Amino acid sequence: MQFRVDTQGTTFIVGGVRGVVGFESNAPVLDKATGLQMFDVDVMAVAAGERPEQLTVRVAGQPAGVDIGLRVRIHDLVARSWEMGDRHGMSFRASRVEPFAAGGRATGDGKAA
């Protein structure tokens, strides 16, 4: 089952972007619906009054203009629980990740530059 995530009031700052490759094949993983390569975007999610969380958001196609330290907007974020043997967790997927605003690098005070 998947759950829609309300991102309003949350700031996302990019920690890295990487293409997803198959565990055994080492070949790029493609989205079944679009045929685009899948990418993982590591972000720090910060909401006022809450502890920051790190998460990885998977998207189809390389996010344009997204780089380390950039504040981004995440569209149509969904969370899905998973379980493999005695391991379990949450995975996240979005329709797209894009820069929040031109020149929106995070600064030390938590505001966009």
Side-chain angles (χ1 to χ4, degrees):
M1 175 181 263
Q2 67 183 23
F3 305 91
R4 295 181 192 273
V5 179
D6 181 5
T7 60
Q8 189 172 4
T10 304
T11 298
F12 296 98
I13 301 169
V14 176
V17 178
R18 64 189 177 285
V20 179
V21 295
F23 181 71
E24 292 181 7
S25 69
N26 212 28
V29 172
L30 305 179
D31 180 55
K32 293 174 184 170
T34 65
L36 297 172
Q37 182 179 1
M38 299 301 293
F39 282 82
D40 281 345
V41 181
D42 298 319
V43 296
M44 180 173 61
V46 183
E50 295 186 28
R51 185 175 171 181
E53 294 283 341
Q54 292 182 331
L55 55 128
T56 300
V57 178
R58 188 159 285 184
V59 295
Q62 185 166 12
V66 172
D67 199 6
I68 294 174
L70 192 68
R71 190 172 162 201
V72 293
R73 180 171 285 137
I74 298 177
H75 295 272
D76 306 317
L77 183 63
V78 294
R80 178 174 290 180
S81 61
W82 60 267
E83 187 174 331
M84 266 199 234
D86 62 345
R87 297 177 52 201
H88 54 80
M90 296 293 287
S91 62
F92 297 90
R93 184 157 176 172
S95 63
R96 69 183 192 277
V97 175
E98 64 185 11
F100 185 79
R105 277 209 186 271
T107 63
D109 61 5
K111 298 178 183 172

